[in-house]
Amino acid sequence: MQFFPQSGSFWPALLTLRWPVMWLGYRGFPWGSIPGPPRRPYRKEVLPAPEAPLVLVTAAEIRQYLRARGIPFQDGHSCLRTPSPFLSPAGPEAKNWTEGSPHSLFIDKTTGHFLCTGSMAEGNWEDFQASVEGGAAGSWVSEGKGNEALGNQSDDVLRIWERAVPLAELPEQEEIQMARAMFNLAKVSDATLKRFQVRYLRAARSLVFPWFSPGGLSLRGLKLLKAEDKGDGVCYLETTLPRPSAYHNLFGLPLISRRDVEVVLTGRELDSLALHQATGLPTLALPRGLACLPPTLLPYLEQFRRIVLWLGDDLRAWEAAKLFARKLNPRRCSLVRPGDQHPHPLEALTQGLNLQKILKAALPAGHKSIVSFRQLREEVLGELSNVEQVAGVRWGRYPDLNRLLKGHRKGELTVFTGPTGSGKTTFISEYALDLCTQGVNTLWGSFEISNVRLARIMLTQFVRGRLEEKLEEYDKWADRFEDLALYFMTFHGQQNIRTVIDTMQHAVYVYDICHVIIDNLQFMMGQEQLSSDRIAVQDYIIGAFRKFATDNSCHVTLVIHPRKEDGDKELQTASIFGSAKASQEADNVLILQDKKLATGPGKRYLQVAKNRFDGDVGVFPLEFNKSSLTFSPSAKGKARLKKVKDENGLDPKKPPSSKGREASGRQKDKAQSPLP
């Protein structure tokens, strides 16, 4: 399905969301065919390089430093609050640290990043230390990333905002009724829309939600929501200015009072309107919905003693709520469990449900170390009622992977292997790109090839063609590729496993990473001094990745070279280099088979050798397209794929036989539940 912006003076192409946007069941749209807005001066963030290592700081170290410098502080939920030196006319060198000063500077306990809500100065922990000590970096005060992110887009933001008008001021009553019907605003009053300053842009038939500065003094950005009738439901498309990755804000922030101690977080602006109207409680909408909760927004949530997360009505919203509660401090968070009686707040208001009662029934996010089935029965019912969502995110380019693995799930470990030169990196890059275009925030750790080369491969796969012959289109495609939630570790060659794990944990906290690819294991083993036994070192590393995946609810895909095998033999699970720990710890084992032929390049096919989720295993053929560097079937290839059978007569489109299922079932780890 493809969507293109309507013609007219409204220039921004209405980009699609990286999370489910059809609120009636649609999972999302392909990014590859969506035209993007004009190129802007925005650079993708990358994680620190080894020569400029990531400075990791603990909360204890931050407290110790503040005490040593005589700086008073208050211990908050996720941040430490101190008086801000940036508000002093004399600058940071004045060291205006007094108990009576307003504590307007927030220091993140996990990263050390600071934000002064009074001056909007911000920086990392090293910047803060330099400011306190009066170093070269201590004289700077920035306006924050908001103005930098706006850049030359500020005129566009103001122009769109001036053209938009309140919904009640549209000249024709019929147009008002149609807009209300398209956005399901039948029970949302004009007073609520006016209070939140929601407007309507007639040229684009879109609602306009403003992002103001914390004090509400200046307009910092916009989110536009367009509704399109698709026959079987309404499809909602969002556009944000600035770009989603360049600037973050909370819708409804200027309406928050310093006396407010409770707030409800939602994943959609319309839900915030409905909740506030029905309950009168302070409500805020996350800028990117279920995709992430940027740590830069945590200081604005410090004042609240209780935070209720009501993000949606499906399992994905429930998983996102649990993940965000970790950042916010689970002890003050409550979660609204999705269900038939707990739909989105806007739908609940439309259906006449009691929203106050639903909020009172929210469950605490913190759990004890031991629970009974009575406390788990509702979660079990939720998984039984949402079988497809429990299976995870489905691939768009590999339908056969959906048939076997059912989907890509958080908290799992996938081991991927294949012969040297068979195309492991090329395949796994498209495999990960497919998921990333559907909203799976991805972190790449390429230890074998450079990030430039990897990005070039992925961009070619994204375009499904080579750009060398059409360089005039590079900026257009590069802009769309930039909008993906895709990040790269800048490590290369042999690395220490502790450094890699620390970087991964930082990325999960800051960017809400859901999928980490490590390519490959052998390149990380050179600096390990734990044992002279190479196999023992590898087992330790695999155990560390297994623990990381489970503790952080993050899927880890680990590429491992196989043992040396005879050229005419197919690889098996036992062919993975090292001991049996890799296949035992893995939830999924994928093998890229490359059968060499004397008369041609050979045949490639992917084998799912282990599937702990439901036991289905099997194989399906792959056809490499050299021009697009892809293994996924094209439109023409799908027709040919139906006729392909392997030499044993196995039809890849048929489900595996009962014997195959029984054999795969014996591979399951009996000690671990098949549920994710």
Side-chain angles (χ1 to χ4, degrees):
M1 188 180 300
Q2 300 180 4
F3 298 90
F4 299 92
Q6 296 180 351
S7 60
S9 58
F10 176 60
W11 64 264
L14 293 175
L15 301 178
T16 60
L17 288 172
R18 281 171 290 192
W19 54 89
V21 294
M22 187 168 185
W23 299 341
L24 299 178
Y26 188 63
R27 293 186 63 85
F29 307 106
W31 278 69
S33 57
I34 307 299
R39 183 169 176 80
R40 305 180 183 91
Y42 159 64
R43 178 172 294 179
K44 190 72 169 179
E45 291 189 60
V46 295
L47 298 184
E51 51 269 21
L54 182 68
V55 178
L56 299 175
V57 62
T58 65
E61 292 172 341
I62 297 175
R63 296 187 188 98
Q64 183 179 2
Y65 179 85
L66 295 177
R67 292 191 184 103
R69 293 287 172 175
I71 303 174
F73 65 89
Q74 298 172 355
D75 210 328
H77 300 285
S78 56
C79 300
L80 297 174
R81 300 181 61 179
T82 74
S84 174
F86 300 106
L87 297 180
S88 171
E93 293 79 3
K95 297 181 176 60
N96 186 23
W97 313 110
T98 62
E99 289 287 352
S101 302
H103 288 53
S104 60
L105 188 134
F106 296 81
I107 305 174
D108 192 300
K109 294 181 182 179
T110 303
T111 64
H113 186 277
F114 74 88
L115 170 67
C116 173
T117 56
S119 65
M120 299 309 296
E122 61 178 306
N124 57 33
W125 177 240
E126 290 180 315
D127 295 330
F128 177 79
Q129 290 177 305
S131 300
V132 171
E133 297 166 12
S139 59
W140 62 270
V141 176
S142 73
E143 293 274 339
K145 292 185 178 179
N147 289 346
E148 177 186 349
L150 280 171
N152 59 1
Q153 298 181 60
S154 57
D155 293 339
D156 299 320
V157 169
L158 294 176
R159 187 183 305 114
I160 294 172
W161 182 244
E162 291 171 356
R163 292 182 180 179
V165 297
L167 195 62
E169 296 181 10
L170 291 176
E172 299 180 4
Q173 188 65 28
E174 182 180 353
E175 187 177 6
I176 297 177
Q177 295 176 354
M178 180 177 295
R180 283 186 166 276
M182 289 295 290
F183 294 101
N184 197 18
L185 296 174
K187 292 194 175 182
V188 178
S189 66
D190 290 333
T192 301
L193 295 174
K194 182 179 180 180
R195 176 173 174 78
F196 284 84
Q197 301 191 52
V198 179
R199 296 186 181 183
Y200 183 76
L201 186 63
R202 301 181 67 190
R205 297 181 180 179
S206 303
L207 287 179
V208 181
F209 302 100
W211 285 335
F212 290 102
S213 59
L217 301 178
S218 61
L219 181 67
R220 308 303 292 274
L222 298 173
K223 177 182 284 190
L224 291 90
L225 182 68
K226 181 176 181 179
E228 293 186 354
D229 188 2
K230 294 301 169 184
D232 56 345
V234 179
C235 175
Y236 295 89
L237 302 128
E238 289 188 1
T239 304
T240 61
L241 291 175
R243 289 190 170 193
S245 301
Y247 177 67
H248 304 111
N249 204 328
L250 292 164
F251 174 72
L253 189 60
L255 301 180
I256 299 297
S257 168
R258 291 185 178 181
R259 296 185 298 241
D260 292 329
V261 295
E262 182 178 355
V263 70
V264 184
L265 296 183
T266 68
R268 309 184 319 193
E269 288 74 14
L270 292 177
D271 288 335
S272 288
L273 301 178
L275 265 170
H276 181 77
Q277 177 175 307
T279 65
L281 292 173
T283 61
L284 295 171
L286 300 179
R288 297 179 60 190
L290 309 183
C292 73
L293 171 58
T296 53
L297 298 179
L298 297 182
Y300 301 111
L301 302 173
E302 273 295 300
Q303 72 181 72
F304 301 107
R305 300 175 187 172
R306 182 172 185 256
I307 298 177
V308 182
L309 291 97
W310 190 350
L311 301 184
D313 58 357
D314 58 11
L315 190 64
R316 191 174 182 185
W318 176 249
E319 293 294 335
K322 292 191 291 185
L323 179 64
F324 297 164
R326 294 183 185 180
K327 294 185 182 182
L328 296 167
N329 190 339
R331 288 179 293 181
R332 61 166 174 164
C333 293
S334 299
L335 315 179
V336 174
R337 182 186 301 281
D340 294 337
Q341 297 302 314
H342 298 163
H344 278 279
L346 181 61
E347 280 73 25
L349 179 67
T350 303
Q351 297 172 19
L353 301 178
N354 189 331
L355 276 71
Q356 194 72 260
K357 184 178 180 180
I358 295 176
L359 291 177
K360 289 182 179 179
L363 302 176
H367 290 287
K368 297 180 180 179
S369 299
I370 300 176
V371 296
S372 66
F373 178 72
R374 181 179 181 182
Q375 295 165 285
L376 299 175
R377 61 182 297 164
E378 292 299 324
E379 290 194 34
V380 174
L381 176 61
E383 294 201 354
L384 294 175
S385 304
N386 301 275
V387 177
E388 290 188 2
Q389 295 179 19
V390 171
V393 179
R394 296 172 68 85
W395 285 270
R397 298 191 179 198
Y398 293 102
D400 288 289
L401 270 179
N402 297 328
R403 176 174 58 85
L404 296 174
L405 292 179
K406 306 303 182 292
H408 183 270
R409 295 167 289 277
K410 294 182 179 180
E412 291 190 350
L413 175 67
T414 295
V415 170
F416 177 61
T417 190
T420 302
S422 60
K424 293 189 297 297
T425 300
T426 303
F427 171 81
I428 209 67
S429 64
E430 186 185 14
Y431 166 100
L433 177 65
D434 187 349
L435 297 168
C436 187
T437 57
Q438 300 180 68
V440 178
N441 297 4
T442 303
L443 174 65
W444 252 99
S446 177
F447 299 87
E448 189 169 2
I449 67 173
S450 67
N451 285 332
V452 173
R453 183 179 174 189
L454 175 62
R456 177 181 175 181
I457 292 173
M458 298 186 75
L459 180 60
T460 302
Q461 294 170 337
F462 183 70
V463 177
R464 286 189 178 270
R466 296 190 180 275
L467 290 173
E468 292 91 333
E469 300 176 357
K470 41 185 178 181
L471 291 177
E472 67 279 0
E473 298 183 10
Y474 175 78
D475 285 347
K476 177 185 70 174
W477 287 106
D479 279 339
R480 301 177 204 175
F481 192 71
E482 271 189 15
D483 284 329
L484 299 179
L486 178 64
Y487 303 89
F488 302 88
M489 286 187 277
T490 53
F491 300 125
H492 187 71
Q494 298 172 348
Q495 295 297 327
N496 186 287
I497 179 60
R498 295 183 182 89
T499 303
V500 175
I501 292 293
D502 288 344
T503 304
M504 291 163 55
Q505 289 178 334
H506 174 85
V508 168
Y509 179 80
V510 176
Y511 304 108
D512 292 295
I513 296 297
C514 302
H515 186 201
V516 177
I517 303 98
I518 301 296
D519 183 16
N520 60 64
L521 178 65
Q522 279 81 352
F523 272 73
M524 297 175 50
M525 297 173 58
Q527 295 185 9
E528 295 303 325
Q529 304 297 329
L530 299 177
S531 171
S532 59
D533 186 353
R534 186 175 178 84
I535 303 301
V537 173
Q538 177 172 315
D539 289 349
Y540 169 80
I541 293 176
I542 293 173
F545 283 124
R546 168 75 271 177
K547 186 176 186 301
F548 171 85
T550 303
D551 293 347
N552 294 276
S553 188
C554 178
H555 194 115
V556 176
T557 298
L558 188 58
V559 180
I560 305 178
H561 284 310
R563 304 175 187 271
K564 295 293 184 181
E565 300 279 9
D566 294 337
D568 57 343
K569 288 186 178 180
E570 293 183 347
L571 298 180
Q572 302 175 357
T573 303
S575 302
I576 300 173
F577 182 84
S579 69
K581 187 176 180 66
S583 57
Q584 291 171 353
E585 293 281 6
D587 298 284
N588 313 292
V589 176
L590 306 181
I591 303 176
L592 181 60
Q593 302 284 7
D594 187 10
K595 181 174 288 188
K596 301 296 183 181
L597 297 179
T599 58
K603 292 183 178 180
R604 293 189 182 100
Y605 58 92
L606 188 71
Q607 177 183 358
V608 178
K610 182 180 180 181
N611 174 9
R612 185 171 283 164
F613 179 69
D614 69 353
D616 282 352
V617 296
V619 300
F620 60 90
L622 298 173
E623 184 175 347
F624 181 64
N625 186 321
K626 190 174 182 179
S627 63
S628 61
L629 302 180
T630 58
F631 284 97
S632 58
S634 60
K636 295 181 180 179
K638 291 180 180 179
R640 293 195 301 268
L641 189 62
K642 297 180 180 179
K643 303 178 182 179
V644 174
K645 293 185 179 181
D646 66 7
E647 294 181 356
N648 296 325
L650 175 64
D651 187 346
K653 286 294 181 182
K654 291 182 180 179
S657 64
S658 58
K659 293 182 180 180
R661 291 180 64 91
E662 293 174 2
S664 63
R666 289 193 294 269
Q667 296 179 356
K668 290 186 178 182
D669 186 357
K670 296 181 180 180
Q672 181 164 338
S673 167
L675 294 176

